Amino acid sequence: MNYKKLTFEEIMQDKILYYDKEVESACYNICYTLKIDNMPGYDSNYYYELVDNKFVKKQIADNLKLEISDRIFEPQNIEKFKNNNHNVLFVYSGKILKGIVHFADYNRNIVLKRIQDDVLNFELNLREFLVLKGKTIYDIIKFYEDSISKENKERILNHYERRLNFFKNKEKEINSLGEFQLCELSDLMDYCNSSFSNKIFKFENHEDFDFKIGNHIIGPLRNVVMHGKNPIEKDIFSSIFSIESLIKFHRSLEILKYYNSKLEELIYTNEDYQLSVKLENQNKLKIIHEHHPRALKYFIGY
């Protein structure tokens, strides 16, 4: 997935503000404004931490260091933030300090854009899976009709009725657009996880979340990244970014990756999909055989 490829070079702050004894009052103000408690020294080896309102020189230990090429979502790097009392880490290229990263930097646009691509890919895979299983948008409509007849909770019932009315008012678009084009991701996930579809693609329990079911984890994740909201939130009382929100964000991405991997496996092993791959490959081989070497270069860049 795209989010797994992100490195600290892409999210770090490379415009470094260094501690300087000669303008120490400015350093105090910067720390208070940014709600940080340390600044790096000029030499790439030390940082200056505010202790009892005084800057104390300390060596930058290995557990505070990251390499510029390190992946931002590797578990060991998340752990470094979790175990770090300062909420910032120092990013190096070899022995040279190249940048500073705060876990709030996971809110950067480049992170959201990569995850947007991953969520879209998951949705496209879910659509393809349903098509391979012979399902159509009319199965979604029937699911809502069936759910309305059985649902007692007013809030959920209202949601089902809104979605059903939406589809019934889009008959022309349904007949002209590609399969499931009018469906939202929540339509597809709710249908797949329902008894109506015999749980054609089941979302499992994830007990470390407020919402226990997988489709209630991916849905909010989609809403966050698609609407450009900050996944790393501030604590209501302290107004300081919450490390817990980073941990939860990372966990939700792992769940997205888990379900997408399951989908890709189901798609790849489907007989119809395998047949389409086989026929396409045979056609390429025939063209390459008849027009080698130009055709070979066209297909694989040889």
Side-chain angles (χ1 to χ4, degrees):
M1 303 195 85
N2 289 301
Y3 82 86
K4 298 285 287 184
K5 302 173 186 176
L6 283 163
T7 66
F8 285 104
E9 184 175 16
E10 296 170 279
I11 72 166
M12 71 182 187
Q13 175 56 259
D14 59 0
K15 295 178 175 62
I16 303 172
L17 292 173
Y18 300 95
Y19 169 79
D20 193 308
K21 179 68 175 177
E22 295 181 21
V23 283
E24 192 172 65
S25 59
C27 296
Y28 279 115
N29 289 336
I30 288 167
C31 286
Y32 293 140
T33 301
L34 297 179
K35 292 184 171 61
I36 58 176
D37 64 359
N38 69 84
M39 298 178 71
Y42 290 117
D43 60 4
S44 295
N45 295 317
Y46 293 90
Y47 69 100
Y48 293 79
E49 180 183 354
L50 267 175
V51 180
D52 296 329
N53 212 34
K54 293 182 179 180
F55 281 104
V56 178
K57 184 178 181 181
K58 294 185 177 182
Q59 188 166 16
I60 300 176
D62 288 343
N63 63 325
L64 298 178
K65 294 180 179 180
L66 296 162
E67 271 295 317
I68 201 167
S69 59
D70 285 347
R71 304 290 176 90
I72 71 171
F73 284 109
E74 287 298 309
Q76 65 269 24
N77 296 327
I78 300 290
E79 282 295 309
K80 281 190 175 183
F81 280 110
K82 183 180 177 181
N83 297 326
N84 175 18
N85 295 327
H86 310 294
N87 300 331
V88 296
L89 295 171
F90 302 96
V91 185
Y92 283 77
S93 176
K95 295 183 179 181
I96 305 301
L97 180 65
K98 288 292 186 177
I100 308 293
V101 64
H102 187 284
F103 61 79
D105 290 317
Y106 284 79
N107 287 334
R108 289 186 181 272
N109 286 340
I110 189 172
V111 179
L112 297 181
K113 288 176 181 177
R114 293 284 182 91
I115 298 171
Q116 285 172 358
D117 291 341
D118 290 332
V119 172
L120 177 59
N121 184 59
F122 171 76
E123 183 172 349
L124 293 174
N125 281 337
L126 197 53
R127 289 181 189 175
E128 184 173 5
F129 167 73
L130 288 172
V131 169
L132 288 170
K133 299 295 285 186
K135 305 301 179 182
T136 70
I137 194 170
Y138 293 103
D139 290 293
I140 305 290
I141 294 172
K142 290 175 185 176
F143 157 65
Y144 280 124
E145 290 173 338
D146 180 74
S147 299
I148 288 170
S149 67
K150 296 176 180 177
E151 184 57 55
N152 295 319
K153 295 180 180 179
E154 184 176 358
R155 181 178 61 84
I156 299 175
L157 181 61
N158 290 339
H159 168 69
Y160 289 158
E161 288 176 341
R162 283 196 301 271
R163 295 308 297 158
L164 182 60
N165 289 333
F166 169 80
F167 289 120
K168 287 191 172 181
N169 290 327
K170 297 288 185 178
E171 186 173 348
K172 290 183 180 179
E173 289 90 337
I174 287 174
N175 294 328
S176 61
L177 295 174
E179 204 62 71
F180 301 115
Q181 288 294 305
L182 289 175
C183 291
E184 295 181 356
L185 179 57
S186 59
D187 296 323
L188 304 176
M189 291 192 297
D190 287 344
Y191 169 75
C192 285
N193 202 46
S194 68
S195 57
F196 181 81
S197 71
N198 294 316
K199 294 191 180 293
I200 193 171
F201 185 76
K202 184 179 178 181
F203 293 92
E204 302 163 7
N205 288 338
H206 299 277
E207 295 181 356
D208 51 343
F209 277 78
D210 294 334
F211 295 105
K212 305 300 185 185
I213 308 299
N215 58 334
H216 288 151
I217 296 168
I218 296 173
L221 174 65
R222 177 207 176 276
N223 292 338
V224 165
V225 298
M226 291 302 181
H227 295 294
K229 297 178 180 179
N230 287 340
I232 313 304
E233 303 167 340
K234 287 185 177 180
D235 182 88
I236 296 174
F237 301 104
S238 67
S239 295
I240 296 174
F241 285 100
S242 162
I243 186 64
E244 287 75 18
S245 62
L246 172 60
I247 295 168
K248 188 172 182 177
F249 181 44
H250 178 235
R251 178 72 174 128
S252 65
L253 290 172
E254 290 295 296
I255 289 170
L256 174 66
K257 184 182 75 167
Y258 167 74
Y259 285 117
N260 195 59
S261 295
K262 283 184 66 176
L263 268 180
E264 289 181 342
E265 182 180 355
L266 290 170
I267 291 169
Y268 185 79
T269 56
N270 180 274
E271 289 184 4
D272 290 337
Y273 180 84
Q274 284 289 313
L275 179 60
S276 68
V277 171
K278 180 179 180 180
L279 292 174
E280 182 181 1
N281 186 64
Q282 286 178 346
N283 287 333
K284 289 179 181 177
L285 293 176
K286 289 176 183 177
I287 293 171
I288 290 170
H289 179 68
E290 294 170 3
H291 301 281
H292 179 79
R294 285 180 295 175
L296 186 60
K297 184 175 182 180
Y298 172 80
F299 282 116
I300 64 173
Y302 178 77

PDB file of all heavy atoms in Angstrom, residues 276-299:
ATOM      1  N   SER A 276      -9.264 -14.583 -17.196  1.00  0.00           N
ATOM      2  CA  SER A 276      -9.004 -13.334 -17.916  1.00  0.00           C
ATOM      3  C   SER A 276      -7.505 -13.053 -17.989  1.00  0.00           C
ATOM      4  O   SER A 276      -7.002 -12.585 -19.019  1.00  0.00           O
ATOM      5  CB  SER A 276      -9.734 -12.167 -17.246  1.00  0.00           C
ATOM      6  OG  SER A 276      -9.180 -11.885 -15.980  1.00  0.00           O
ATOM      7  N   VAL A 277      -6.784 -13.348 -16.914  1.00  0.00           N
ATOM      8  CA  VAL A 277      -5.322 -13.175 -16.909  1.00  0.00           C
ATOM      9  C   VAL A 277      -4.685 -14.112 -17.928  1.00  0.00           C
ATOM     10  O   VAL A 277      -3.780 -13.717 -18.688  1.00  0.00           O
ATOM     11  CB  VAL A 277      -4.752 -13.452 -15.502  1.00  0.00           C
ATOM     12  CG1 VAL A 277      -3.228 -13.489 -15.545  1.00  0.00           C
ATOM     13  CG2 VAL A 277      -5.226 -12.392 -14.514  1.00  0.00           C
ATOM     14  N   LYS A 278      -5.168 -15.350 -17.961  1.00  0.00           N
ATOM     15  CA  LYS A 278      -4.614 -16.340 -18.884  1.00  0.00           C
ATOM     16  C   LYS A 278      -4.826 -15.932 -20.335  1.00  0.00           C
ATOM     17  O   LYS A 278      -3.905 -15.985 -21.158  1.00  0.00           O
ATOM     18  CB  LYS A 278      -5.256 -17.704 -18.617  1.00  0.00           C
ATOM     19  CG  LYS A 278      -4.752 -18.806 -19.529  1.00  0.00           C
ATOM     20  CD  LYS A 278      -5.401 -20.149 -19.200  1.00  0.00           C
ATOM     21  CE  LYS A 278      -4.900 -21.247 -20.125  1.00  0.00           C
ATOM     22  NZ  LYS A 278      -5.518 -22.561 -19.810  1.00  0.00           N
ATOM     23  N   LEU A 279      -6.043 -15.489 -20.673  1.00  0.00           N
ATOM     24  CA  LEU A 279      -6.351 -15.113 -22.055  1.00  0.00           C
ATOM     25  C   LEU A 279      -5.558 -13.877 -22.477  1.00  0.00           C
ATOM     26  O   LEU A 279      -5.048 -13.813 -23.606  1.00  0.00           O
ATOM     27  CB  LEU A 279      -7.856 -14.845 -22.197  1.00  0.00           C
ATOM     28  CG  LEU A 279      -8.760 -16.076 -22.040  1.00  0.00           C
ATOM     29  CD1 LEU A 279     -10.229 -15.659 -22.064  1.00  0.00           C
ATOM     30  CD2 LEU A 279      -8.481 -17.109 -23.136  1.00  0.00           C
ATOM     31  N   GLU A 280      -5.451 -12.905 -21.574  1.00  0.00           N
ATOM     32  CA  GLU A 280      -4.671 -11.707 -21.894  1.00  0.00           C
ATOM     33  C   GLU A 280      -3.206 -12.053 -22.107  1.00  0.00           C
ATOM     34  O   GLU A 280      -2.560 -11.549 -23.044  1.00  0.00           O
ATOM     35  CB  GLU A 280      -4.813 -10.683 -20.767  1.00  0.00           C
ATOM     36  CG  GLU A 280      -4.061  -9.393 -21.041  1.00  0.00           C
ATOM     37  CD  GLU A 280      -4.178  -8.394 -19.908  1.00  0.00           C
ATOM     38  OE1 GLU A 280      -4.824  -8.694 -18.886  1.00  0.00           O
ATOM     39  OE2 GLU A 280      -3.599  -7.300 -20.046  1.00  0.00           O
ATOM     40  N   ASN A 281      -2.662 -12.923 -21.274  1.00  0.00           N
ATOM     41  CA  ASN A 281      -1.261 -13.324 -21.396  1.00  0.00           C
ATOM     42  C   ASN A 281      -1.017 -14.091 -22.701  1.00  0.00           C
ATOM     43  O   ASN A 281       0.006 -13.890 -23.363  1.00  0.00           O
ATOM     44  CB  ASN A 281      -0.871 -14.180 -20.198  1.00  0.00           C
ATOM     45  CG  ASN A 281       0.607 -14.514 -20.192  1.00  0.00           C
ATOM     46  OD1 ASN A 281       1.438 -13.630 -20.084  1.00  0.00           O
ATOM     47  ND2 ASN A 281       0.929 -15.795 -20.324  1.00  0.00           N
ATOM     48  N   GLN A 282      -1.953 -14.964 -23.059  1.00  0.00           N
ATOM     49  CA  GLN A 282      -1.810 -15.718 -24.307  1.00  0.00           C
ATOM     50  C   GLN A 282      -1.772 -14.786 -25.513  1.00  0.00           C
ATOM     51  O   GLN A 282      -0.966 -14.987 -26.432  1.00  0.00           O
ATOM     52  CB  GLN A 282      -2.958 -16.719 -24.440  1.00  0.00           C
ATOM     53  CG  GLN A 282      -2.848 -17.920 -23.515  1.00  0.00           C
ATOM     54  CD  GLN A 282      -4.027 -18.867 -23.626  1.00  0.00           C
ATOM     55  OE1 GLN A 282      -5.069 -18.507 -24.205  1.00  0.00           O
ATOM     56  NE2 GLN A 282      -3.884 -20.063 -23.076  1.00  0.00           N
ATOM     57  N   ASN A 283      -2.625 -13.765 -25.501  1.00  0.00           N
ATOM     58  CA  ASN A 283      -2.640 -12.802 -26.606  1.00  0.00           C
ATOM     59  C   ASN A 283      -1.312 -12.056 -26.706  1.00  0.00           C
ATOM     60  O   ASN A 283      -0.783 -11.833 -27.801  1.00  0.00           O
ATOM     61  CB  ASN A 283      -3.788 -11.816 -26.429  1.00  0.00           C
ATOM     62  CG  ASN A 283      -5.140 -12.446 -26.722  1.00  0.00           C
ATOM     63  OD1 ASN A 283      -5.232 -13.388 -27.496  1.00  0.00           O
ATOM     64  ND2 ASN A 283      -6.186 -11.927 -26.106  1.00  0.00           N
ATOM     65  N   LYS A 284      -0.762 -11.663 -25.563  1.00  0.00           N
ATOM     66  CA  LYS A 284       0.522 -10.966 -25.555  1.00  0.00           C
ATOM     67  C   LYS A 284       1.628 -11.869 -26.097  1.00  0.00           C
ATOM     68  O   LYS A 284       2.474 -11.427 -26.884  1.00  0.00           O
ATOM     69  CB  LYS A 284       0.866 -10.513 -24.132  1.00  0.00           C
ATOM     70  CG  LYS A 284       0.023  -9.370 -23.610  1.00  0.00           C
ATOM     71  CD  LYS A 284       0.428  -9.016 -22.185  1.00  0.00           C
ATOM     72  CE  LYS A 284      -0.402  -7.886 -21.629  1.00  0.00           C
ATOM     73  NZ  LYS A 284      -0.046  -7.584 -20.220  1.00  0.00           N
ATOM     74  N   LEU A 285       1.628 -13.125 -25.655  1.00  0.00           N
ATOM     75  CA  LEU A 285       2.658 -14.062 -26.108  1.00  0.00           C
ATOM     76  C   LEU A 285       2.597 -14.263 -27.620  1.00  0.00           C
ATOM     77  O   LEU A 285       3.637 -14.339 -28.290  1.00  0.00           O
ATOM     78  CB  LEU A 285       2.504 -15.400 -25.384  1.00  0.00           C
ATOM     79  CG  LEU A 285       2.782 -15.398 -23.876  1.00  0.00           C
ATOM     80  CD1 LEU A 285       2.481 -16.772 -23.283  1.00  0.00           C
ATOM     81  CD2 LEU A 285       4.216 -14.995 -23.582  1.00  0.00           C
ATOM     82  N   LYS A 286       1.385 -14.333 -28.164  1.00  0.00           N
ATOM     83  CA  LYS A 286       1.222 -14.515 -29.608  1.00  0.00           C
ATOM     84  C   LYS A 286       1.744 -13.301 -30.374  1.00  0.00           C
ATOM     85  O   LYS A 286       2.429 -13.436 -31.399  1.00  0.00           O
ATOM     86  CB  LYS A 286      -0.239 -14.757 -29.941  1.00  0.00           C
ATOM     87  CG  LYS A 286      -0.751 -16.116 -29.478  1.00  0.00           C
ATOM     88  CD  LYS A 286      -2.246 -16.255 -29.746  1.00  0.00           C
ATOM     89  CE  LYS A 286      -2.771 -17.592 -29.225  1.00  0.00           C
ATOM     90  NZ  LYS A 286      -4.242 -17.697 -29.416  1.00  0.00           N
ATOM     91  N   ILE A 287       1.427 -12.105 -29.860  1.00  0.00           N
ATOM     92  CA  ILE A 287       1.890 -10.876 -30.514  1.00  0.00           C
ATOM     93  C   ILE A 287       3.410 -10.774 -30.450  1.00  0.00           C
ATOM     94  O   ILE A 287       4.073 -10.435 -31.443  1.00  0.00           O
ATOM     95  CB  ILE A 287       1.238  -9.639 -29.852  1.00  0.00           C
ATOM     96  CG1 ILE A 287      -0.265  -9.647 -30.123  1.00  0.00           C
ATOM     97  CG2 ILE A 287       1.871  -8.348 -30.358  1.00  0.00           C
ATOM     98  CD1 ILE A 287      -1.041  -8.607 -29.343  1.00  0.00           C
ATOM     99  N   ILE A 288       3.978 -11.082 -29.286  1.00  0.00           N
ATOM    100  CA  ILE A 288       5.436 -11.040 -29.126  1.00  0.00           C
ATOM    101  C   ILE A 288       6.102 -12.050 -30.061  1.00  0.00           C
ATOM    102  O   ILE A 288       7.120 -11.761 -30.710  1.00  0.00           O
ATOM    103  CB  ILE A 288       5.822 -11.327 -27.658  1.00  0.00           C
ATOM    104  CG1 ILE A 288       5.396 -10.149 -26.770  1.00  0.00           C
ATOM    105  CG2 ILE A 288       7.334 -11.564 -27.528  1.00  0.00           C
ATOM    106  CD1 ILE A 288       5.497 -10.428 -25.284  1.00  0.00           C
ATOM    107  N   HIS A 289       5.508 -13.239 -30.154  1.00  0.00           N
ATOM    108  CA  HIS A 289       6.063 -14.298 -31.007  1.00  0.00           C
ATOM    109  C   HIS A 289       6.063 -13.871 -32.466  1.00  0.00           C
ATOM    110  O   HIS A 289       7.014 -14.147 -33.215  1.00  0.00           O
ATOM    111  CB  HIS A 289       5.254 -15.578 -30.824  1.00  0.00           C
ATOM    112  CG  HIS A 289       5.730 -16.707 -31.671  1.00  0.00           C
ATOM    113  ND1 HIS A 289       6.951 -17.331 -31.489  1.00  0.00           N
ATOM    114  CD2 HIS A 289       5.145 -17.340 -32.740  1.00  0.00           C
ATOM    115  CE1 HIS A 289       7.090 -18.284 -32.384  1.00  0.00           C
ATOM    116  NE2 HIS A 289       6.012 -18.312 -33.153  1.00  0.00           N
ATOM    117  N   GLU A 290       5.026 -13.161 -32.889  1.00  0.00           N
ATOM    118  CA  GLU A 290       4.892 -12.796 -34.298  1.00  0.00           C
ATOM    119  C   GLU A 290       5.652 -11.512 -34.645  1.00  0.00           C
ATOM    120  O   GLU A 290       6.006 -11.311 -35.811  1.00  0.00           O
ATOM    121  CB  GLU A 290       3.404 -12.624 -34.642  1.00  0.00           C
ATOM    122  CG  GLU A 290       2.630 -13.930 -34.551  1.00  0.00           C
ATOM    123  CD  GLU A 290       1.128 -13.720 -34.654  1.00  0.00           C
ATOM    124  OE1 GLU A 290       0.704 -12.557 -34.851  1.00  0.00           O
ATOM    125  OE2 GLU A 290       0.375 -14.707 -34.516  1.00  0.00           O
ATOM    126  N   HIS A 291       5.921 -10.652 -33.652  1.00  0.00           N
ATOM    127  CA  HIS A 291       6.508  -9.345 -33.954  1.00  0.00           C
ATOM    128  C   HIS A 291       7.764  -9.051 -33.147  1.00  0.00           C
ATOM    129  O   HIS A 291       8.172  -7.902 -33.071  1.00  0.00           O
ATOM    130  CB  HIS A 291       5.474  -8.240 -33.690  1.00  0.00           C
ATOM    131  CG  HIS A 291       4.240  -8.385 -34.505  1.00  0.00           C
ATOM    132  ND1 HIS A 291       4.151  -8.017 -35.830  1.00  0.00           N
ATOM    133  CD2 HIS A 291       3.017  -8.900 -34.177  1.00  0.00           C
ATOM    134  CE1 HIS A 291       2.936  -8.266 -36.283  1.00  0.00           C
ATOM    135  NE2 HIS A 291       2.222  -8.804 -35.299  1.00  0.00           N
ATOM    136  N   HIS A 292       8.360 -10.049 -32.548  1.00  0.00           N
ATOM    137  CA  HIS A 292       9.589  -9.874 -31.762  1.00  0.00           C
ATOM    138  C   HIS A 292      10.674  -9.224 -32.640  1.00  0.00           C
ATOM    139  O   HIS A 292      10.790  -9.558 -33.814  1.00  0.00           O
ATOM    140  CB  HIS A 292      10.082 -11.245 -31.283  1.00  0.00           C
ATOM    141  CG  HIS A 292      11.348 -11.188 -30.495  1.00  0.00           C
ATOM    142  ND1 HIS A 292      11.388 -10.832 -29.182  1.00  0.00           N
ATOM    143  CD2 HIS A 292      12.638 -11.434 -30.861  1.00  0.00           C
ATOM    144  CE1 HIS A 292      12.631 -10.875 -28.763  1.00  0.00           C
ATOM    145  NE2 HIS A 292      13.416 -11.232 -29.758  1.00  0.00           N
ATOM    146  N   PRO A 293      11.508  -8.274 -32.128  1.00  0.00           N
ATOM    147  CA  PRO A 293      11.603  -7.874 -30.707  1.00  0.00           C
ATOM    148  C   PRO A 293      10.821  -6.620 -30.352  1.00  0.00           C
ATOM    149  O   PRO A 293      10.747  -6.250 -29.187  1.00  0.00           O
ATOM    150  CB  PRO A 293      13.087  -7.615 -30.532  1.00  0.00           C
ATOM    151  CG  PRO A 293      13.498  -7.065 -31.860  1.00  0.00           C
ATOM    152  CD  PRO A 293      12.661  -7.760 -32.895  1.00  0.00           C
ATOM    153  N   ARG A 294      10.237  -5.918 -31.339  1.00  0.00           N
ATOM    154  CA  ARG A 294       9.582  -4.652 -31.039  1.00  0.00           C
ATOM    155  C   ARG A 294       8.410  -4.823 -30.085  1.00  0.00           C
ATOM    156  O   ARG A 294       8.201  -4.008 -29.190  1.00  0.00           O
ATOM    157  CB  ARG A 294       9.118  -3.991 -32.338  1.00  0.00           C
ATOM    158  CG  ARG A 294      10.267  -3.374 -33.143  1.00  0.00           C
ATOM    159  CD  ARG A 294       9.755  -2.745 -34.405  1.00  0.00           C
ATOM    160  NE  ARG A 294       9.195  -3.747 -35.295  1.00  0.00           N
ATOM    161  CZ  ARG A 294       8.574  -3.488 -36.452  1.00  0.00           C
ATOM    162  NH1 ARG A 294       8.442  -2.223 -36.823  1.00  0.00           N
ATOM    163  NH2 ARG A 294       8.090  -4.443 -37.200  1.00  0.00           N
ATOM    164  N   ALA A 295       7.654  -5.888 -30.284  1.00  0.00           N
ATOM    165  CA  ALA A 295       6.501  -6.117 -29.402  1.00  0.00           C
ATOM    166  C   ALA A 295       6.945  -6.436 -27.977  1.00  0.00           C
ATOM    167  O   ALA A 295       6.292  -6.031 -27.009  1.00  0.00           O
ATOM    168  CB  ALA A 295       5.651  -7.271 -29.932  1.00  0.00           C
ATOM    169  N   LEU A 296       8.064  -7.154 -27.849  1.00  0.00           N
ATOM    170  CA  LEU A 296       8.565  -7.484 -26.505  1.00  0.00           C
ATOM    171  C   LEU A 296       8.924  -6.202 -25.760  1.00  0.00           C
ATOM    172  O   LEU A 296       8.617  -6.071 -24.558  1.00  0.00           O
ATOM    173  CB  LEU A 296       9.787  -8.397 -26.631  1.00  0.00           C
ATOM    174  CG  LEU A 296      10.353  -8.967 -25.325  1.00  0.00           C
ATOM    175  CD1 LEU A 296       9.321  -9.799 -24.610  1.00  0.00           C
ATOM    176  CD2 LEU A 296      11.606  -9.766 -25.591  1.00  0.00           C
ATOM    177  N   LYS A 297       9.570  -5.284 -26.462  1.00  0.00           N
ATOM    178  CA  LYS A 297       9.940  -4.023 -25.829  1.00  0.00           C
ATOM    179  C   LYS A 297       8.703  -3.236 -25.415  1.00  0.00           C
ATOM    180  O   LYS A 297       8.670  -2.600 -24.360  1.00  0.00           O
ATOM    181  CB  LYS A 297      10.786  -3.188 -26.805  1.00  0.00           C
ATOM    182  CG  LYS A 297      11.312  -1.896 -26.200  1.00  0.00           C
ATOM    183  CD  LYS A 297      12.233  -1.185 -27.174  1.00  0.00           C
ATOM    184  CE  LYS A 297      12.804   0.084 -26.536  1.00  0.00           C
ATOM    185  NZ  LYS A 297      13.710   0.799 -27.450  1.00  0.00           N
ATOM    186  N   TYR A 298       7.643  -3.303 -26.215  1.00  0.00           N
ATOM    187  CA  TYR A 298       6.409  -2.578 -25.913  1.00  0.00           C
ATOM    188  C   TYR A 298       5.758  -3.116 -24.646  1.00  0.00           C
ATOM    189  O   TYR A 298       5.312  -2.340 -23.785  1.00  0.00           O
ATOM    190  CB  TYR A 298       5.434  -2.697 -27.094  1.00  0.00           C
ATOM    191  CG  TYR A 298       4.062  -2.155 -26.798  1.00  0.00           C
ATOM    192  CD1 TYR A 298       3.811  -0.772 -26.862  1.00  0.00           C
ATOM    193  CD2 TYR A 298       3.011  -3.002 -26.440  1.00  0.00           C
ATOM    194  CE1 TYR A 298       2.543  -0.269 -26.586  1.00  0.00           C
ATOM    195  CE2 TYR A 298       1.753  -2.501 -26.167  1.00  0.00           C
ATOM    196  CZ  TYR A 298       1.547  -1.136 -26.244  1.00  0.00           C
ATOM    197  OH  TYR A 298       0.285  -0.630 -25.968  1.00  0.00           O
ATOM    198  N   PHE A 299       5.712  -4.430 -24.489  1.00  0.00           N
ATOM    199  CA  PHE A 299       4.992  -5.026 -23.368  1.00  0.00           C
ATOM    200  C   PHE A 299       5.770  -4.995 -22.052  1.00  0.00           C
ATOM    201  O   PHE A 299       5.181  -4.794 -21.001  1.00  0.00           O
ATOM    202  CB  PHE A 299       4.613  -6.472 -23.703  1.00  0.00           C
ATOM    203  CG  PHE A 299       3.426  -6.601 -24.618  1.00  0.00           C
ATOM    204  CD1 PHE A 299       3.547  -7.160 -25.875  1.00  0.00           C
ATOM    205  CD2 PHE A 299       2.177  -6.137 -24.217  1.00  0.00           C
ATOM    206  CE1 PHE A 299       2.448  -7.270 -26.721  1.00  0.00           C
ATOM    207  CE2 PHE A 299       1.086  -6.236 -25.059  1.00  0.00           C
ATOM    208  CZ  PHE A 299       1.211  -6.787 -26.315  1.00  0.00           C
TER     209      PHE A 299
END
